């Protein structure tokens, strides 16, 4: 396991902790897409079913359990504990537009036509688009809180670091996972415009605002 993989995991974990901390401290989940968080919880659930079938390392197991817990606690806070502060009027992205093609693609393009492999493939494809409801929500409201932008930045950084991880693995191990790499590139592309706005606005103390749809 190389340094890019570790930094990617830490960036991912930091993003989830920032989001949970924001909700807990403010007792409010406005500006956060519950639909994106449901998709991420689904991603981790379908990807980490191998917790019951195989053991890779203590690090691997602990990180999987932590990601699952963070994902479900976040969903609980949004739809349970702080549901009265949830901005459902702006969290309107149609999930079927993502789930239907992802499910279909998982059956068509996978490495092995077995239940666990199809579910793993589904999780990879779904993760690449799971952030879209959040980005759609920000574009709909026209702006995002600073802490939410930090969350999105570290989530995007995690993907970028994983791309570096795959390049490093190809150089040192001649390992190449086409499904994971292509999906990771697609996901990173979704963050590119956000990265530019984050660097030019948020890091200079300005509030992030996006053009609202007509």
């Amino acid at each position: 396991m190389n340094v890019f993989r570790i930094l990617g995991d830490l960036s991912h974990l930091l993003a989830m902790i920032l989001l949970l901390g924001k909700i807990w401290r403010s007792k409010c989940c406005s500006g956060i897409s519950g639909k994106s968080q449901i998709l991420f919880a689904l991603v981790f659930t379908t990807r980490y079913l191998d917790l019951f079938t195989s053991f890779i390392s203590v690090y691997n197991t602990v990180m999987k359990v932590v990601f699952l817990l963070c994902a479900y606690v976040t969903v609980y806070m949004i739809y349970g504990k702080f549901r009265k502060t949830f901005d459902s009027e702006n969290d309107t992205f149609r999930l079927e537009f993502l789930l239907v093609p992802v499910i279909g693609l998982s059956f068509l393009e996978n490495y092995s036509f077995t239940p666990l492999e199809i579910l793993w493939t589904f999780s990879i494809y779904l993760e690449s688009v799971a952030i879209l409801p959040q980005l759609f929500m920000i574009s709909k409201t026209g702006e995002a809180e600073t802490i939410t932008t930090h969350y999105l930045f570290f989530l995007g950084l995690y993907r970028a670091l994983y791309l570096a991880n795959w390049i490093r693995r190809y150089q040192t191990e001649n390992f190449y996972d086409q499904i994971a790499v292509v999906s990771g590139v697609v996901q990173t592309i979704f963050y590119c415009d956000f990265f530019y706005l984050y660097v030019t606005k948020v890091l200079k103390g300005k509030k992030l605002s996006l053009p609202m749809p007509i």
Side-chain angles (χ1 to χ4, degrees):
M1 185 164 56
N2 61 64
V3 65
F4 296 112
R5 165 75 182 275
I6 296 174
L7 290 176
D9 288 341
L10 292 177
S11 179
H12 196 180
L13 182 60
L14 179 58
M16 300 180 79
I17 291 174
L18 281 172
L19 187 65
L20 279 171
K22 182 265 182 189
I23 297 174
W24 184 257
R25 286 195 306 271
S26 65
K27 310 297 181 187
C28 175
C29 53
S30 63
I32 299 172
S33 170
K35 291 186 175 182
S36 269
Q37 297 310 311
I38 287 176
L39 293 181
F40 282 124
L42 186 57
V43 164
F44 297 135
T45 302
T46 52
R47 182 175 303 171
Y48 298 152
L49 289 172
D50 63 350
L51 280 170
F52 301 102
T53 61
S54 61
F55 176 79
I56 299 174
S57 67
V58 173
Y59 171 85
N60 184 273
T61 299
V62 169
M63 292 301 280
K64 287 178 179 180
V65 171
V66 170
F67 285 147
L68 280 166
L69 287 174
C70 287
Y72 278 98
V73 169
T74 301
V75 171
Y76 164 71
M77 286 186 174
I78 294 173
Y79 290 101
K81 191 173 182 65
F82 303 120
R83 63 184 179 277
K84 292 182 179 179
T85 66
F86 173 51
D87 187 8
S88 58
E89 291 185 359
N90 288 313
D91 194 16
T92 57
F93 194 95
R94 300 280 295 276
L95 293 187
E96 61 268 30
F97 291 163
L98 300 179
L99 290 172
V100 171
V102 165
I103 291 172
L105 191 58
S106 301
F107 279 94
L108 293 173
E109 292 291 334
N110 54 67
Y111 293 129
S112 175
F113 205 76
T114 61
L116 281 181
E117 189 64 32
I118 291 173
L119 287 170
W120 177 85
T121 305
F122 168 81
S123 77
I124 297 297
Y125 292 147
L126 183 60
E127 186 182 18
S128 69
V129 295
I131 199 62
L132 289 182
Q134 180 66 66
L135 296 178
F136 177 78
M137 188 177 187
I138 293 175
S139 69
K140 190 173 182 181
T141 59
E143 60 183 24
E145 294 181 24
T146 300
I147 194 65
T148 305
T149 62
H150 292 333
Y151 159 73
L152 290 172
F153 172 78
F154 283 107
L155 206 57
L157 181 61
Y158 139 68
R159 269 294 113 188
L161 287 167
Y162 255 59
L163 288 180
N165 162 60
W166 291 321
I167 293 172
R168 183 60 178 168
R169 290 193 66 183
Y170 181 74
Q171 293 174 336
T172 59
E173 306 170 32
N174 199 31
F175 175 83
Y176 176 71
D177 186 331
Q178 181 175 331
I179 290 176
V181 171
V182 172
S183 298
V185 170
V186 170
Q187 187 176 359
T188 305
I189 289 172
F190 286 138
Y191 286 97
C192 285
D193 185 49
F194 171 81
F195 280 148
Y196 172 77
L197 292 172
Y198 184 88
V199 171
T200 58
K201 290 190 175 183
V202 179
L203 293 183
K204 294 181 179 180
K206 300 177 183 179
K207 195 166 186 177
L208 177 68
S209 59
L210 297 174
M212 297 181 68
I214 299 175

